[in-house]
Amino acid sequence: MRLFRKLQTKIFLYFILVVLIPLISIGTFSYFTSTDLLEKQVVDHQTQTIGLIENNIKLMLDDVQDISSYIMNNETFQNLLNQPKPDSYNQAQQTMFAYLSNLKIAKKYISFIIVYGENGFLFRDFNQFYREVIPYEQLKDTPTYISTAAKEGEANWMFSSDPLFPYLQQYNETMIGRRITNIYDTDQKLGMLFMGISRDAMLDSIKDIKIKSSTHLLLIDDNYNLVASNQSNRDVQYYRDGDLAFKKKLLGVDETSFLQVNGIDYYVSTAKVAPYDWNVVSLTPVKEIRVQHQILLRFTLIVSISLLLIVGLISMFLSRSVTSPIQKLLRSMNNFKRGDFNQKVPVESKDEVGLLTQKYNGMVADLNELIQKVYISQTNQKMIELKTLQAQIEPHFLYNTLDYIFLNSKINGDNDTAEVVRSLSELFRISLNRGNDYYKLENEINQIKAYVRIQHARFPDRFRVEYDIDPAVEPYLTTKLLLQPIVENAIIHAFDTRGLAEGILRITGRKTEEHIVFTVTDNGRGMTEEQIAGLLVVSPQGSGGYGIKNVNERLTMLFGEEYRLRIASEPGEGTEVTVYLPVIEYEEEWVRLYESHGHR
């Protein structure tokens, strides 16, 4: 990461970290503290809400219970039920019946009043429409009668009024029942009183309380029946479908807690309607509360990012003011390194950097004077010596000498020697390449062929060579002497076994979409994994191994690790060496690639 080596970047990051760490700490603390307070407010509001609902329901149930108690203990009703059924009602009785009718009208939540007398008397009054009721004798065989009679005059709350009506009719109401006994002789049973309470009226008392639309409010009786809910039947079906253990768990919450229902997380609060053992349950989806958390989180992030940007700008300005003089000093040093010895950096401050700049300017002046006296004269002397040495090994002198040997061998009839000399001359000419370190693959191929001819002259019975090189690869550029060390290693080492069949050396070359691929394959002695590693990593004794290591290092240095030599070999099975080269068509491409990999 070259970027993080810069002093300006380090100073910038230090400033950011100095601010970022406290900012994150304070922001995180503020966010979680605020969210905790927000959740606590929601929970408190939820608790207060169900407390209001519980109070409303209790007032309604108390009212119904008081009314039913008044009716059953009314002397007019007592007298009416304590004597044979009259053929007609007297004025007092009619007044009582009118009172009951008006009571039903005044108390909207009372849907009916039914009185059964043991003397055959039957009183029934309905809020909306007339209904048929079952006979008293038939009622006595039902659980409704039995459970109410067992209460001995106390209120018996029942989830449904359906048992009082024939034809399996169902009404949306809850019912209270009482056994009517003689107020002067409790052992004398006078009849039964039943009053219906509309569940819609109970629902209205729930809906009157303002609460989130997504919050589920449930009114549950002492037998775990769902009496009313502010949600549709579909939304609370999970309660009806739930088993008894789930319902007990839901109602067993002493204070607000967390509960998952049908994969949805809820905050749950409960309030008991005493002394009826009814419960009001509130379920608020956690995600609804966390929506407000997200608003708070976004606000915290916006403030934090704004502060961070301001600090970033300030730290950038400060870091530049500190590093700018140092950068000028570095640029001057680079210019000095390239040979511009007339460097002088202006001193812009009196701090440590300014003092360093003064010392640098003095050092440059001293070095410049020294270089003028010693370095330049020595360099000129070295250049003269180098040119003298180059003149001594002038390539033309070498070529002319080899041409003389070639012609003299031809004149004397030694054609084999002449062919070897000609191949050697071509090998030197291609290798020197006028001092350039790259050439076309055509030259590389010709050089290999010249080298193979020379080695074949040395070892005529050791091997034969097969070429399968696509001419399409010849115009592309590459560095010098890539294949020759590989071919040399195969000829010298792979076939250096007496008594074996003639060796076969196969050289192939192909162009793919992304690479140029050469393979050098032999059927020689092969190598172990340790020997392959020795060729590529540890330079073994002998020129062949050193040459292959040198080729591998040049490939990776110039083109990258993906161009490392691939060697596949098995002892006794031969060896295959694969060379991948980049597709380079123009000299400009070669220069860019060489500079980017070879001179980083």
Side-chain angles (χ1 to χ4, degrees):
M1 299 294 288
R2 186 175 298 177
L3 178 63
F4 293 101
R5 297 177 185 174
K6 293 184 177 180
L7 180 60
Q8 179 178 347
T9 304
K10 291 181 179 180
I11 295 175
F12 174 78
L13 289 177
Y14 291 153
F15 272 112
I16 293 297
L17 288 175
V18 166
V19 177
L20 188 61
I21 293 174
L23 186 63
I24 291 176
S25 301
I26 295 173
T28 303
F29 174 77
S30 301
Y31 170 72
F32 283 108
T33 302
S34 301
T35 52
D36 288 343
L37 290 175
L38 182 61
E39 290 186 8
K40 187 176 184 302
Q41 289 177 355
V42 172
V43 169
D44 291 343
H45 176 68
Q46 184 170 298
T47 303
Q48 294 173 2
T49 299
I50 63 172
L52 291 175
I53 296 173
E54 177 267 332
N55 187 60
N56 290 346
I57 297 298
K58 184 178 185 303
L59 290 176
M60 181 183 295
L61 298 182
D62 287 346
D63 197 23
V64 171
Q65 198 157 274
D66 291 343
I67 292 172
S68 65
S69 177
Y70 169 77
I71 294 173
M72 66 179 291
N73 293 316
N74 182 271
E75 290 190 4
T76 302
F77 250 74
Q78 288 275 322
N79 293 332
L80 185 63
L81 299 177
N82 199 22
Q83 60 187 358
K85 179 180 178 182
D87 296 331
S88 61
Y89 301 141
N90 57 32
Q91 184 63 35
Q93 293 169 341
Q94 291 178 356
T95 301
M96 182 63 189
F97 295 157
Y99 166 77
L100 293 179
S101 297
N102 293 332
L103 179 66
K104 177 179 54 62
I105 295 173
K107 303 294 184 179
K108 299 295 185 181
Y109 51 80
I110 299 178
S111 58
F112 68 83
I113 299 175
I114 299 175
V115 179
Y116 288 99
E118 295 291 340
N119 60 355
F121 174 80
L122 175 63
F123 173 83
R124 48 193 169 183
D125 193 9
F126 303 97
N127 189 10
Q128 294 180 341
F129 50 84
Y130 177 81
R131 307 182 203 173
E132 187 68 31
V133 297
I134 65 174
Y136 190 43
E137 294 301 323
Q138 181 179 341
L139 177 65
K140 289 182 177 180
D141 295 330
T142 63
T144 300
Y145 177 88
I146 296 172
S147 62
T148 303
K151 292 283 187 175
E152 294 294 339
E154 296 296 326
N156 180 34
W157 287 94
M158 290 159 281
F159 174 69
S160 174
S161 64
D162 297 346
L164 296 183
F165 307 105
Y167 315 120
L168 299 178
Q169 298 183 41
Q170 295 182 348
Y171 301 97
N172 188 30
E173 56 196 9
T174 299
M175 183 173 66
I176 182 175
R178 284 179 180 270
R179 173 184 281 281
I180 303 175
T181 60
N182 192 318
I183 57 176
Y184 303 109
D185 182 7
T186 57
D187 292 332
Q188 184 182 1
K189 315 304 181 186
L190 300 180
M192 289 285 184
L193 166 65
F194 296 99
M195 290 178 59
I197 297 89
S198 172
R199 293 179 193 159
D200 290 335
M202 295 183 178
L203 180 59
D204 290 339
S205 66
I206 293 177
K207 290 183 176 179
D208 288 341
I209 305 298
K210 291 184 178 180
I211 199 167
K212 289 180 176 293
S213 60
S214 58
T215 298
H216 294 196
L217 293 175
L218 311 179
L219 178 60
I220 301 170
D221 68 10
D222 55 344
N223 287 318
Y224 302 101
N225 296 306
L226 181 61
V227 178
S229 170
N230 67 335
Q231 303 294 324
S232 65
N233 290 337
R234 180 190 60 188
D235 294 335
V236 293
Q237 191 63 37
Y238 62 85
Y239 182 82
R240 295 190 177 90
D241 294 340
D243 56 15
L244 185 59
F246 166 75
K247 295 177 180 179
K248 287 183 178 180
K249 181 179 180 182
L250 184 64
L251 300 181
V253 177
D254 294 331
E255 55 186 25
T256 302
S257 64
F258 177 84
L259 185 65
Q260 189 175 75
V261 179
N262 285 351
I264 301 176
D265 298 329
Y266 292 93
Y267 283 112
V268 182
S269 297
T270 62
K272 186 176 291 295
V273 183
Y276 305 100
D277 287 335
W278 287 28
N279 287 273
V280 180
V281 182
S282 170
L283 298 96
T284 301
V286 174
K287 66 177 181 180
E288 294 293 331
I289 300 176
R290 290 179 179 170
V291 167
Q292 301 179 37
H293 294 184
Q294 296 301 319
I295 296 174
L296 183 61
L297 177 61
R298 282 196 293 269
F299 175 77
T300 304
L301 288 177
I302 290 173
V303 173
S304 300
I305 292 173
S306 300
L307 291 175
L308 193 60
L309 288 176
I310 294 173
V311 172
L313 293 175
I314 295 174
S315 63
M316 185 180 298
F317 172 77
L318 292 176
S319 63
R320 283 186 178 179
S321 65
V322 173
T323 59
S324 179
I326 299 177
Q327 290 175 348
K328 292 180 180 178
L329 194 61
L330 288 174
R331 284 195 294 268
S332 177
M333 289 180 179
N334 289 330
N335 293 335
F336 185 87
K337 181 179 179 181
R338 287 193 292 266
D340 185 0
F341 306 126
N342 299 315
Q343 294 293 312
K344 186 174 182 180
V345 181
V347 180
E348 299 177 351
S349 63
K350 296 183 180 181
D351 55 12
E352 289 82 353
V353 178
L355 181 61
L356 178 63
T357 304
Q358 290 180 354
K359 296 295 184 182
Y360 169 75
N361 289 335
M363 181 191 67
V364 168
D366 294 341
L367 286 175
N368 191 17
E369 183 180 356
L370 180 63
I371 288 172
Q372 293 298 329
K373 291 180 180 179
V374 180
Y375 179 73
I376 295 179
S377 60
Q378 290 182 352
T379 302
N380 290 335
Q381 182 178 354
K382 291 293 183 181
M383 291 296 294
I384 294 172
E385 294 175 356
L386 180 60
K387 289 182 179 180
T388 302
L389 180 61
Q390 288 176 340
Q392 292 175 351
I393 57 172
E394 176 63 42
H396 290 291
F397 172 76
L398 180 62
Y399 299 154
N400 292 337
T401 302
L402 290 175
D403 287 342
Y404 169 77
I405 298 174
F406 170 74
L407 293 173
N408 195 44
S409 299
K410 280 286 189 179
I411 293 173
N412 294 329
D414 191 353
N415 292 327
D416 291 340
T417 302
E419 183 64 24
V420 171
V421 171
R422 187 181 69 81
S423 298
L424 182 61
S425 175
E426 182 178 3
L427 184 67
F428 279 130
R429 178 181 60 79
I430 296 174
S431 299
L432 292 173
N433 194 35
R434 300 180 180 179
N436 294 326
D437 59 351
Y438 67 94
Y439 50 34
K440 293 184 178 181
L441 281 170
E442 176 185 6
N443 293 334
E444 179 77 6
I445 295 168
N446 291 334
Q447 183 192 50
I448 291 301
K449 291 181 178 179
Y451 177 78
V452 169
R453 288 196 295 270
I454 294 172
Q455 293 289 16
H456 204 272
R458 291 180 61 198
F459 310 109
D461 299 325
R462 180 176 290 186
F463 72 96
R464 62 184 173 87
V465 64
E466 297 177 357
Y467 298 101
D468 183 16
I469 301 175
D470 188 352
V473 305
E474 295 180 355
Y476 297 100
L477 300 178
T478 189
T479 186
K480 299 189 301 183
L481 294 173
L482 289 179
L483 298 178
Q484 185 270 334
I486 301 172
V487 173
E488 177 184 358
N489 192 74
I491 294 173
I492 300 301
H493 299 286
F495 303 132
D496 187 20
T497 304
R498 302 180 182 278
L500 296 179
E502 180 184 28
I504 299 175
L505 180 66
R506 181 176 176 81
I507 303 173
T508 65
R510 293 286 184 273
K511 179 181 178 298
T512 65
E513 292 184 359
E514 299 180 354
H515 303 96
I516 295 173
V517 184
F518 281 93
T519 59
V520 178
T521 309
D522 65 71
N523 64 342
R525 65 170 63 181
M527 293 182 289
T528 63
E529 293 290 337
E530 290 78 9
Q531 290 173 318
I532 294 174
L535 284 177
L536 297 177
V537 180
V538 181
S539 178
Q541 299 297 327
S543 61
Y546 177 81
I548 288 182
K549 182 175 183 290
N550 178 268
V551 169
N552 189 54
E553 289 179 349
R554 283 192 293 140
L555 284 172
T556 55
M557 182 184 68
L558 289 173
F559 309 132
E561 285 294 327
E562 65 269 24
Y563 291 94
R564 180 177 295 276
L565 286 178
R566 275 79 162 176
I567 301 178
S569 183
E570 291 287 341
E573 300 294 332
T575 302
E576 179 181 274
V577 182
T578 305
V579 181
Y580 287 88
L581 299 174
V583 179
I584 306 174
E585 189 172 359
Y586 303 106
E587 291 188 9
E588 293 79 2
E589 296 180 62
W590 171 264
V591 172
R592 285 198 302 271
L593 187 142
Y594 182 80
E595 290 178 348
S596 64
H597 290 284
H599 295 274
R600 294 183 219 181

